[in-house]
Amino acid sequence: MKADLHVHSNYSDGSNTVEEIMEMAEQKGITHISLVDHDTVQGIEHAQEAGASRGITVIPAVEISAYDFKRNRKVHILGYAFNKEAEHIQRLCTPLLQRRHENSLWQVEQLQRNGFQVELDEVKKQAAQGGIIYKQHIMACLTDAHFSTQEYKHMYKSLFKGDGICARDIKYVDANDAVKAIKRDGGYAVLAHPGQLDSFDMIPELVQSGLDGIERNHYDHIVQDIVKVESYAAEYRLFMTGGSDYHGDFGTPIEIGDFDSPVKSIQLLFSNIKVL
């Protein structure tokens, strides 16, 4: 068994289609995969059909864009193997998606007002699969440079960070509410890349809300992060997962299957999979 439990498609902020992802996964020998598109379950059935045609099991998943309001920092919560309706997840995430889309429309307007040649129709085409505009879709209409280049990074920071004309963020959902929504839908809640977002401090609170696991294997985790993950996992009896956090051209250069998930977590999630 080999699993990548953290992959993004063009249903959110990834550049690749579901079919392209499954083709790459097959080439890499992936047996189990999860598309954890941000705040949406829209592409799960599509992914399961595409995976089945290649002998790949798709475990239903989502990555909820959440927040630790006590410490003022972002916290991403992964949800796995929840039920078909995903009623509570969708109830929590639908307003979040709407806020994101409206904010992106505002950002496009700011760019146009400041002389940037960016057409809303072209941005919408970039976001056509999921229907929600992300910053990556806007950037794709501003530059041909890859996400990993200095040109891209400089433009992104100057526009979307600090005093940039597009530097306005949305209100995210409470991380505890994200965990609870996943649990209410019969799924497993996992803290995503705590080393990347420095969200270790919130683990005891998330456990009280029902947290099941913690992401261990991630490209942005250094040795100290992995040691911390293992320590928290042992203390609170959390299972550990892993994945590439693949975004295609919209993310760090990395391949599907890198930083795969421990077999124990695959077996646990697979045994409780709900085919949509």
Side-chain angles (χ1 to χ4, degrees), residues 5 78 80 190 214-217 239-243 261-262 265 269:
L5 300 181
L78 297 161
Y80 294 102
V190 174
I214 183 170
E215 192 170 46
R216 176 188 186 275
N217 302 339
F239 65 82
M240 295 181 287
T241 68
S261 191
S265 64
L269 297 175

Side-chain angles (χ1 to χ4, degrees), residues 100-118:
R100 185 188 298 279
H101 189 70
E102 290 174 356
N103 192 57
S104 295
L105 292 175
W106 175 85
Q107 289 170 329
V108 171
E109 184 179 340
Q110 299 312 300
L111 290 167
Q112 292 173 335
R113 287 181 175 180
N114 284 273
F116 286 86
Q117 300 301 310
V118 54

